Amino acid sequence: MTIIALLGNPNSGKTSIFNIITGSNQQVGNWPGVTVERKSGRYKKDKTITIQDLPGLYSLSPYSLEEQVTRDYLSLTPPDVLVNIIDSTNLERSLYLTLQLMEFGIPMVLALNMSDLVEREGKSIDLEKLSYRLGLPIVKTSAVKNRGLDELINLAKKIPKTQALDYDHRLEGALSEIAKVIHSNRRFDQIKCFEGDKLALSVLTEKQLLEIDDIVSISEKILNDDRESIIVNERYDLISQIVRLCVTESEGKSIKLT
Ligand code: BGO
């Protein structure tokens, strides 16, 4: 049995894709203890594959129940594969969630959805470069035209572990130190401790908290910013580099995925 989880920003086309690939093989309930809808289903062409639909979200800071549910699911009962559904017409915003998902190290594939709309918007996205730069396999999909979805699931079945991207070497140094303090190789945990995420810090001892405080204050001095902004800025800097490399705005109004 393989479990594939679908994740993406609201309106990225996640529900449309879920409905097409599962057909009528769906179960709807709630996530344990909360009134957040939980939908799962079997892939209609291979019943050994379970598709888990996760709530639409922009980030994994637990500000909302949806973010909390998703974060717990990825941390405690990780699926075999993540399919990150991207609205191709809004690449920059979508990649902000992608970078966070990559921190879990779960095998991941990107579905560049809304590919039918891309033609109309005057830019082109180089899929090969994007895939190379992110280190992730990418499939171009259109839920409304039912394109690329079988290819997406077939690819999802056989992808390796995901490697998160590196940030500024000074931040990387701090994250390695935090890894030693919290005894966790998972980048998501290290970054959450760096940011000062209450949930991540709540399980640590006084001694660990003091050590992390020391590491973070040094980084804040060196990088001349506060802990949360350091992470947000690193992510956006990386995303703008990637978008500059992979997206070409053309004079005329034609957007292409190549
Ligand atoms: C409406 N291409 C295009 N063009 N549209 C898509 C694609 C795609 O590949 N995928 C999804 N959509 P959800 P979340 C709508 O509902 O699956 C459209 O939140 C409308 N509704 O049809 O719900 C999809 O689950 C009236 O559009 O996304 C839907 O991630 C007018 O994107 C919307 C126009 O898809 C969100 C569109 C009453």
Side-chain angles (χ1 to χ4, degrees):
M1 178 67 72
T2 305
I3 300 181
I4 297 178
L6 306 184
L7 256 158
N9 291 162
N11 290 319
S12 56
K14 204 164 54 60
T15 309
S16 311
I17 291 181
F18 177 78
N19 287 340
I20 295 170
I21 60 181
T22 58
S24 55
N25 307 294
Q26 296 185 4
Q27 287 175 323
V28 183
N30 275 351
W31 289 90
V34 284
T35 53
V36 175
E37 188 180 71
R38 176 177 190 157
K39 276 193 300 182
S40 62
R42 295 288 169 93
Y43 177 38
K44 62 184 179 190
K45 297 194 177 167
D46 178 353
K47 301 285 186 316
T48 67
I49 298 178
T50 296
I51 312 290
Q52 178 64 63
D53 188 29
L54 290 165
L57 31 83
Y58 294 105
S59 104
L60 288 167
S61 313
Y63 296 128
S64 67
L65 275 180
E66 284 77 10
E67 288 166 349
Q68 178 67 62
V69 157
T70 305
R71 189 168 148 166
D72 285 349
Y73 174 77
L74 296 178
S75 300
L76 306 174
T77 54
D80 297 299
V81 183
L82 281 181
V83 170
N84 178 202
I85 296 163
I86 301 270
D87 172 357
S88 313
T89 64
N90 222 324
L91 189 61
E92 211 145 349
R93 190 183 63 190
S94 310
L95 289 179
Y96 192 73
L97 179 64
T98 306
L99 292 192
Q100 293 176 73
L101 295 176
M102 288 171 75
E103 291 162 10
F104 284 88
I106 302 168
M108 185 159 120
V109 55
L110 292 199
L112 247 60
N113 196 40
M114 310 269 180
S115 58
D116 57 300
L117 292 182
V118 164
E119 308 276 325
R120 297 189 206 154
E121 291 194 9
K123 30 182 171 156
S124 89
I125 304 173
D126 187 323
L127 293 195
E128 229 171 82
K129 276 190 191 161
L130 187 60
S131 171
Y132 172 74
R133 188 62 189 81
L134 290 169
L136 294 175
I138 301 181
V139 178
K140 189 168 78 168
T141 62
S142 166
V144 287
K145 303 219 181 261
N146 195 352
R147 280 197 212 133
L149 301 181
D150 290 331
E151 191 193 337
L152 177 69
I153 301 301
N154 285 333
L155 187 66
K157 287 191 286 192
K158 50 187 181 211
I159 49 170
K161 225 171 163 178
T162 294
Q163 186 74 39
L165 299 180
D166 279 351
Y167 296 132
D168 181 291
H169 67 278
R170 294 163 297 180
L171 174 57
E172 290 302 326
L175 295 176
S176 313
E177 290 305 310
I178 290 177
K180 288 183 214 152
V181 174
I182 63 173
H183 312 293
S184 170
N185 286 328
R186 195 163 56 187
R187 200 172 164 77
F188 182 77
D189 301 332
Q190 299 156 13
I191 290 183
K192 285 292 151 199
C193 287
F194 185 96
E195 283 179 321
D197 178 277
K198 285 200 180 70
L199 214 64
L201 298 179
S202 67
V203 296
L204 302 181
T205 63
E206 273 303 308
K207 182 168 176 286
Q208 286 174 311
L209 291 174
L210 287 173
E211 286 174 2
I212 288 175
D213 268 352
D214 281 347
I215 297 167
V216 171
S217 347
I218 296 170
S219 305
E220 287 183 326
K221 278 202 195 95
I222 299 175
L223 294 162
N224 196 23
D225 216 337
D226 66 86
R227 62 203 296 177
E228 274 189 87
S229 309
I230 291 173
I231 300 289
V232 172
N233 292 337
E234 283 295 323
R235 285 189 180 129
Y236 277 119
D237 283 354
L238 193 55
I239 289 170
S240 32
Q241 278 173 31
I242 293 172
V243 169
R244 269 201 308 276
L245 181 75
C246 306
V247 178
T248 318
E249 307 270 348
S250 64
E251 295 280 311
K253 282 268 169 197
S254 75
I255 280 196
K256 275 187 288 171
L257 291 169
T258 54

